[in-house]
Amino acid sequence: MKERTASRYGALSITLAIAALIALLPERYHVVPNWVGYLAMAVMIAPMLVVSLTKRVSAWERPAQFVAVCSALAFNLCNLLVVSYNLVENPNELEPVPLFYTSIGIWSGNVLIFTLLYWLVDRGGPDARLSGAVGYPDFDFPAMDDERHASRDWQPGIIDYLFLGFTTSTAFSPTEAMPITSRAKLLMIVQSTIALVTIAIVAARTINILK
């Protein structure tokens, strides 16, 4: 019997959006060159394309995806650290408009990167969720417990994880899906912290400079 595979096209779109953000960020706020970020995204995209075209699960897909997403997260964190350092040590040398765009890029990248992380981690990943191989979810979505408005076999898709990532970066707390496992809670803590630092320090300081 042929193994069922979940759709990767939504995750591919998110990955391409992250690559676009890397290209748009001003280079003066980069610790590592852009090609490192592009390489990480290529490592993410390649196995997903293979699975999407062949409809066969690859054993090396998930390790490659986690390496790629964690590399993108490290890339984004390094950019945030560089911007924060410059705000403290060289505030008079900063250009407000590029700095403002950079803060938007870092915040948006944070949302997209954690969207992929939630999509990969929750209940063992998209294929495990589709097959029901893992019984307990990392996130409890309301539709899972509402048979009046959703089918009994409802499963979260990439848009649900994008909404989770967006609300975590704006509200700094769960709004719809509740984290159940320790790893889910830790991921949300990290994402909320990055978003808070970006908004409170970088964006606020940039707006102050613009005034």
Side-chain angles (χ1 to χ4, degrees):
M1 183 177 177
K2 191 173 182 179
E3 191 172 358
R4 297 173 65 193
T5 58
S7 174
R8 267 75 169 164
Y9 294 114
L12 281 168
S13 300
I14 298 292
T15 306
L16 291 173
I18 294 172
L21 284 175
I22 292 172
L24 292 173
L25 283 175
E27 291 188 5
R28 66 168 295 179
Y29 299 116
H30 289 185
V31 167
V32 294
N34 281 0
W35 65 263
V36 176
Y38 297 145
L39 179 61
M41 293 303 94
V43 171
M44 181 80 183
I45 290 171
M48 286 197 292
L49 279 177
V50 171
V51 173
S52 297
L53 294 174
T54 63
K55 303 299 181 184
R56 301 179 70 175
V57 177
S58 171
W60 53 275
E61 181 190 18
R62 278 180 65 77
Q65 288 172 335
F66 275 110
V67 169
V69 175
C70 290
S71 298
L73 177 59
F75 185 90
N76 207 41
L77 274 173
C78 287
N79 290 338
L80 178 59
L81 290 174
V82 169
V83 173
S84 300
Y85 174 82
N86 284 327
L87 280 171
V88 175
E89 297 295 331
N90 308 302
N92 297 326
E93 299 178 8
L94 298 176
E95 299 176 15
V97 174
L99 183 61
F100 180 67
Y101 289 146
T102 298
S103 65
I104 293 176
I106 292 172
W107 185 90
S108 301
N110 189 45
V111 172
L112 297 176
I113 290 166
F114 276 92
T115 294
L116 291 177
L117 272 174
Y118 297 146
W119 178 75
L120 286 169
V121 167
D122 189 23
R123 203 179 292 187
D127 294 325
R129 288 192 297 273
L130 183 64
S131 64
V134 180
Y136 296 100
D138 291 271
F139 296 96
D140 184 21
F141 289 86
M144 292 177 175
D145 308 313
D146 189 355
E147 294 184 5
R148 293 182 302 168
H149 301 98
S151 61
R152 182 171 297 182
D153 59 348
W154 183 90
Q155 296 290 341
I158 194 68
I159 298 300
D160 299 291
Y161 294 109
L162 177 60
F163 183 74
L164 173 61
F166 179 81
T167 55
T168 302
S169 281
T170 50
F172 310 119
S173 64
T175 58
E176 181 196 36
M178 297 298 296
I180 298 175
T181 62
S182 297
R183 63 183 180 181
K185 293 173 183 178
L186 287 172
L187 285 174
M188 293 188 75
I189 288 172
V190 174
Q191 185 188 0
S192 297
T193 302
I194 296 171
L196 182 61
V197 171
T198 305
I199 294 173
I201 297 180
V202 179
R205 174 61 177 163
T206 303
I207 293 171
N208 187 50
I209 293 173
L210 286 171
K211 291 180 179 180

